[in-house]
Amino acid sequence: MKNTAKIKKPLSGQSKFIFFCLLPAIVLVGMFTFYPFFRGIGMAFQKYTLFDLTDIHFIGLENFRTIFAQPQFLQALSNSFYWVFISLICQFVIGFILALLLKKPFKGRGIYQGFVFYSWAMSGFLIGIIWRWMLNGQIGVMNDLLLKVGLIEERIGFLSDPKWSLASVIVANIWYGIAFFAIMLLAALQSIPDDLYESAGIDGANWLHKLFYVTIPYIMPTIIASTLLRVIWIFNFPDIIYAMTNGGPAGSTHILATYMMDKIMFGGDYGQAAAAGVIMIILLAMYTIFYLTATKSGKGADF
Amino acid sequence: MVRTKSRLGFIFACTILVSTVLSGCGSSSDEKIDSASKGGATVTLKMIESLTSPERTETLKKMLAVFEQQNPGIKVELISPPLQNADTKIATMLSAKEDLDVLEVRDITAKQFVTNKFIEDLKPYTSKWDDYKTLNDSAKMSAEYIDNTPYYIPYGLYQKVLFYRKDWFDEKGMTPPATWQEVYEKGKALTDPAKNRYGYAYRGGAGGDNYTLMITQAFNADQINPDDSMFLKDGKTIFSTPEAKQAMDLFTKIYNEASPKDSLNWAFSETVESFVSGVTAMLINDPDVIAVTKEKMKEGTWATAPIPLGPTGKAPRFVGAAGWGMTSYSTHKEEAWKLISFLSNPEQNLVFSKAVGLIPIHTTAAEDEFFKKGAYQPFIEMNNKPDAYFMMRDATDYQGYGESKKIAVEDNQALILKQRSTEDVLKNWDTYWTTQKANQKK
């Protein structure tokens, strides 16, 4: 016991020294990370419009009442659900298949990987613009292709028909996010020792057994962390929708992130935008707690 | 001893922190003041543009190079944010009092900038500036739109005109449409989906509100209040009349029978692209499209005409404007004015207007052959018929102006998709503007 006390004393001084060295960084992070965060929450309870900054004042829950009364907000809420979960599931499944295919060495693998991963390096707005032109009803390549192979008889308004518009932006988002899962899962797959597969093979396991009893359990921490992160990113990702449809037609492709952007871009209403932002934070916090509890794993945090 | 050490450590850390923060915050403006106070040192002006495009930025840079050559003591740093959110970026920079001296002010942002005291009253400068006297009426009206005070000097005027495929019209033996009814009839006659040809480049997406408004105002032309264009002379909104319903019904027919289905979500680039690529026969847009059509279409295949008239032979029109203003907190106001007056002088304005495709701001430009013929001719024709094509003030000084644009686009799309009725949509717009007027600060 005495020894422990002796060791602790000099460390205490050292800890203080380290703490004071870190203090400027802590304060700067507080200023530039936490201040805007709490400021944003504060704005949700204020009348705060860019049009008249001379009249900012506390209005309680008025911003929340206003946005909940708008059908566009409720539509954006339900669209957010489809946007996140359809995108996530498709990105994960296709990304996982690609990662499995890319795991085995083959000639030209490096070049092929480059092609698979390049979408991740592009900006969301650029991807949105490219897909907008590809899906253009009159001069888009997608309609031309479908007409030439005889799958359709007349052009489809991918971005102007509400039956197609949400699906169209989700497809573009799936294309964009596949690379993320492919990269993450490939890295995890390459860390699995070959011995495990050899042992499983000796025990008579076929490739399906190896997949479910070796591969997936081994990379589960990566799966949990990457899906958790990806849900948050997709949920907060307005770029593709904004560039492709601007939330239209008639608000049919709005998600909460684009709805929030609209509040600033067209109404200059930081109060209502901040209120939408607070709702997004609450939803994401609820999801994260639920997800980590359901997967009963703190391993995600190791990522 | 330990306490003394920790206090010293704390003070030391705080000192580092405060000095870091202060040096970060204050550097640029201090630098500017220092350089200005040292006699003969270079003053750096920070300038931001809004309606950016690569070609326009290039033209502006060339003009700035000439300015710097003529004013060796002044350097100009140009900031060119992406067009999509440039105005929001500018407003945010202004609210944070970020280092800016000269900025692009648009008719739609001027009121907001003035209300927040972001921009300087230029009267002390314009009163001593000879070139101010040669500004044409539209330019002067735009400059002094807020409180009869010049808050910015326009660099050009935006005014809509009808672009049409002359070759297609000639094939059918048709003349360009003079009214909205003819836009529908002739557009329908030119529509052939099998050939992927349509009569009209409908703009249902971002910016589409300009067109629903344009047709509604043309149908209400006899009753409209030109000084308050969302309202009639009797104080009711333009959306409350039977004429408004006729206008929206006709506009929906133009979409359904003479436009590509996809155009429901088209914005500027798609409508222009559809016209220049041979999908649509008519396009209504600003003169900045002239440069694109000249570049991408064969001479003789296209032409321009005045905007369509309403049923009573009238078409109210706006003159949109954007120009250069000065931040109210600039530390180099004299130099900033030097730059603004240089960019706005008749010679430089002609350079800019021709390159970007805008209507110039000085009366002297009317003598320039470039603006007397061809694609610019309909502008002169409209100016010469002020009874038919009369001028109106846009509703940019209402707080809800920006939001109304978004609402108009979404409601119009819902109307076309048959999610809402014409009466329902017009009622919504009527209520919106009635509320805006009631809440308007006097």
Side-chain angles (χ1 to χ4, degrees):
Chain A
M1 283 300 283
K2 272 183 180 178
N3 281 346
T4 317
K6 271 181 188 173
I7 294 164
K8 267 186 177 176
K9 236 183 177 177
L11 266 181
S12 169
Q14 197 180 2
S15 300
K16 277 183 183 172
F17 177 73
I18 292 169
F19 172 74
F20 283 122
C21 288
L22 287 174
L23 192 62
I26 292 168
V27 175
L28 285 174
V29 169
M31 277 171 68
F32 294 110
T33 305
F34 294 107
Y35 172 76
F37 176 75
F38 289 110
R39 183 80 186 89
I41 292 175
M43 280 162 103
F45 300 94
Q46 288 180 313
K47 180 195 170 288
Y48 200 119
T49 61
L50 204 51
F51 194 89
D52 190 359
L53 294 172
T54 57
D55 182 25
I56 296 166
H57 57 270
F58 180 76
I59 52 168
L61 293 171
E62 191 57 40
N63 287 326
F64 291 90
R65 271 194 286 272
T66 310
I67 60 171
F68 270 111
Q70 291 173 347
Q72 296 93 326
F73 174 77
L74 300 174
Q75 164 120 48
L77 198 61
S78 76
N79 283 352
S80 293
F81 177 80
Y82 294 116
W83 165 255
V84 170
F85 288 104
I86 297 173
S87 299
L88 179 82
I89 289 164
C90 296
Q91 286 174 359
F92 176 75
V93 171
I94 303 170
F96 193 22
I97 292 168
L98 270 174
L100 287 171
L101 294 173
L102 288 169
K103 192 191 163 201
K104 287 179 187 165
F106 57 87
K107 203 178 174 187
R109 183 171 74 163
I111 296 167
Y112 189 73
Q113 275 183 358
F115 276 116
V116 172
F117 298 156
Y118 93 102
S119 66
W120 191 244
M122 289 165 78
S123 101
F125 270 108
L126 182 61
I127 289 165
I129 291 164
I130 292 169
W131 277 83
R132 189 176 76 191
W133 285 110
M134 276 169 48
L135 297 177
N136 185 299
Q138 263 53 52
I139 47 178
V141 67
M142 200 64 81
N143 266 301
D144 282 348
L145 204 67
L146 294 173
L147 277 171
K148 275 179 186 151
V149 297
L151 277 175
I152 56 168
E153 285 178 357
E154 60 180 75
R155 291 168 188 278
I156 297 172
F158 287 110
L159 303 178
S160 58
D161 185 340
K163 290 201 290 286
W164 286 99
S165 53
L166 188 61
S168 300
V169 294
I170 289 175
V171 167
N173 191 37
I174 290 169
W175 178 82
Y176 174 59
I178 288 169
F180 170 78
F181 279 111
I183 295 166
M184 300 309 298
L185 297 176
L186 180 61
L189 288 175
Q190 284 171 341
S191 70
I192 303 175
D194 286 340
D195 305 1
L196 290 178
Y197 290 113
E198 281 167 21
S199 310
I202 291 164
D203 290 343
N206 60 24
W207 75 269
L208 207 64
H209 291 129
K210 286 177 188 170
L211 177 70
F212 282 103
Y213 295 110
V214 178
T215 309
I216 293 178
Y218 197 90
I219 63 168
M220 191 50 91
T222 305
I223 292 175
I224 291 170
S226 56
T227 47
L228 178 69
L229 280 177
R230 197 73 193 110
V231 164
I232 295 168
W233 289 344
I234 298 173
F235 188 73
N236 287 323
F237 185 58
D239 310 23
I240 285 179
I241 294 179
Y242 223 80
M244 282 178 76
T245 62
N246 238 316
S252 62
T253 55
H254 264 312
I255 58 166
L256 287 178
T258 57
Y259 172 86
M260 188 173 78
M261 270 180 82
D262 257 14
K263 284 284 164 203
I264 294 173
M265 306 274 275
F266 290 93
D269 197 324
Y270 281 80
Q272 286 184 22
V278 167
I279 292 164
M280 288 170 72
I281 291 168
I282 292 169
L283 289 174
L284 280 178
M286 282 164 60
Y287 162 77
T288 308
I289 292 165
F290 170 78
Y291 186 78
L292 289 177
T293 312
T295 53
K296 287 185 183 159
S297 172
K299 286 174 184 172
D302 294 343
F303 176 71
Chain B
M1 190 61 190
V2 172
R3 275 184 186 170
T4 317
K5 266 187 187 171
S6 66
R7 270 181 202 155
L8 279 171
F10 181 71
I11 292 164
F12 176 62
C14 286
T15 313
I16 291 173
L17 172 69
V18 170
S19 57
T20 311
V21 171
L22 288 182
S23 61
C25 292
S27 63
S28 51
S29 56
D30 291 348
E31 225 171 69
K32 283 171 62 175
I33 292 167
D34 282 353
S35 64
S37 56
K38 288 172 196 165
T42 303
V43 168
T44 302
L45 293 176
K46 280 205 173 173
M47 173 180 184
I48 189 164
E49 58 170 336
S50 160
L51 295 168
T52 48
S53 74
E55 299 80 18
R56 196 187 97 138
T57 303
E58 202 49 44
T59 306
L60 208 49
K61 279 183 177 167
K62 282 180 191 160
M63 291 163 73
L64 293 177
V66 177
F67 173 76
E68 286 176 344
Q69 216 172 15
Q70 290 179 11
N71 298 274
I74 307 174
K75 285 211 94 48
V76 186
E77 246 175 58
L78 179 67
I79 305 166
S80 306
L83 173 71
Q84 193 107 14
N85 56 0
D87 286 331
T88 312
K89 184 180 171 64
I90 293 172
T92 312
M93 285 178 80
L94 291 168
S95 65
K97 295 258 187 302
E98 278 192 47
D99 219 4
L100 276 180
D101 301 290
V102 175
L103 74 158
E104 185 164 344
V105 183
R106 296 173 62 191
D107 46 6
I108 59 171
T109 53
K111 175 75 176 181
Q112 171 197 335
F113 292 171
V114 172
T115 306
N116 290 319
K117 298 185 173 61
F118 289 154
I119 52 176
E120 184 78 355
D121 170 3
L122 298 180
K123 202 161 197 169
Y125 306 96
T126 55
S127 58
K128 294 177 216 155
W129 184 46
D130 284 345
D131 291 333
Y132 197 70
K133 289 166 199 144
T134 62
L135 285 189
N136 59 40
D137 290 345
S138 299
K140 205 170 276 180
M141 187 183 98
S142 302
E144 297 179 5
Y145 183 78
I146 311 291
D147 308 331
N148 294 318
T149 305
Y151 282 104
Y152 68 101
I153 310 296
Y155 55 64
L157 302 167
Y158 294 87
Q159 204 177 325
K160 287 195 171 21
V161 70
L162 177 88
F163 293 78
Y164 67 97
R165 286 293 303 240
K166 193 172 179 314
D167 49 352
W168 295 5
F169 274 79
D170 289 348
E171 267 172 35
K172 295 255 178 194
M174 293 191 301
T175 53
T179 63
W180 279 105
Q181 183 64 28
E182 284 182 22
V183 169
Y184 162 64
E185 286 162 6
K186 293 182 177 179
K188 194 179 166 188
L190 288 162
T191 299
D192 184 355
K195 284 187 186 167
N196 199 21
R197 263 192 188 187
Y198 296 85
Y200 181 70
Y202 191 88
R203 183 163 169 179
D209 54 293
N210 291 320
Y211 299 85
T212 50
L213 201 56
M214 197 173 169
I215 191 168
T216 311
Q217 286 165 336
F219 271 66
N220 279 301
D222 282 340
Q223 316 162 59
I224 207 162
N225 178 359
D227 292 326
D228 200 0
S229 57
M230 294 293 177
F231 295 89
L232 305 172
K233 285 167 190 157
D234 66 6
K236 289 181 184 165
T237 74
I238 55 167
F239 308 107
S240 64
T241 63
E243 286 83 359
K245 185 176 176 329
Q246 288 167 17
M248 289 310 294
D249 286 345
L250 179 64
F251 207 40
T252 307
K253 276 165 74 176
I254 291 174
Y255 168 79
N256 282 327
E257 298 173 44
S259 308
K261 292 285 163 283
D262 216 30
S263 60
L264 177 62
N265 220 14
W266 279 2
F268 175 83
S269 48
E270 286 93 344
T271 52
V272 175
E273 188 59 35
S274 77
F275 182 72
V276 297
S277 65
V279 173
T280 52
M282 287 180 275
L283 166 76
I284 298 175
N285 223 311
D286 292 317
D288 48 350
V289 175
I290 293 173
V292 184
T293 41
K294 268 186 181 168
E295 186 194 324
K296 296 197 173 176
M297 295 173 80
K298 278 186 191 161
E299 207 181 324
T301 59
W302 65 281
T304 54
I307 55 170
L309 300 161
T312 58
K314 289 179 185 171
R317 61 192 171 114
F318 294 118
V319 176
W324 307 115
M326 185 195 299
T327 55
S328 54
Y329 55 84
S330 168
T331 47
H332 298 297
K333 288 184 177 161
E334 286 304 323
E335 290 84 355
W337 172 249
K338 254 188 190 174
L339 175 59
I340 294 169
S341 57
F342 168 81
L343 294 172
S344 312
N345 74 35
E347 185 194 347
Q348 292 301 319
N349 185 245
L350 266 185
V351 171
F352 193 71
S353 303
K354 283 180 185 174
V356 180
L358 293 172
I359 302 165
I361 57 168
H362 290 281
T363 48
T364 46
E367 301 309 314
D368 195 296
E369 284 303 312
F370 185 85
F371 296 103
K372 275 185 179 172
K373 57 185 182 190
Y376 286 92
Q377 202 278 330
F379 294 109
I380 295 172
E381 193 181 329
M382 288 191 282
N383 278 334
N384 292 341
K385 292 178 184 168
D387 290 338
Y389 303 97
F390 62 88
M391 301 277 284
M392 270 187 322
R393 286 164 72 100
D394 205 352
T396 50
D397 53 344
Y398 283 91
Q399 186 156 346
Y401 177 79
E403 191 186 19
S404 77
K405 295 172 82 63
K406 188 71 186 168
I407 291 170
V409 168
E410 288 194 350
D411 282 359
N412 184 51
Q413 289 178 333
L415 167 68
I416 283 172
L417 292 166
K418 297 192 173 76
Q419 293 171 352
R420 299 181 74 174
S421 67
T422 314
E423 291 81 358
D424 185 24
V425 164
L426 287 170
K427 180 76 200 151
N428 191 34
W429 297 350
D430 178 48
T431 310
Y432 184 86
W433 281 102
T434 306
T435 313
Q436 283 296 313
K437 187 148 190 147
N439 296 340
Q440 175 82 332
K441 277 187 181 177
K442 295 293 169 195

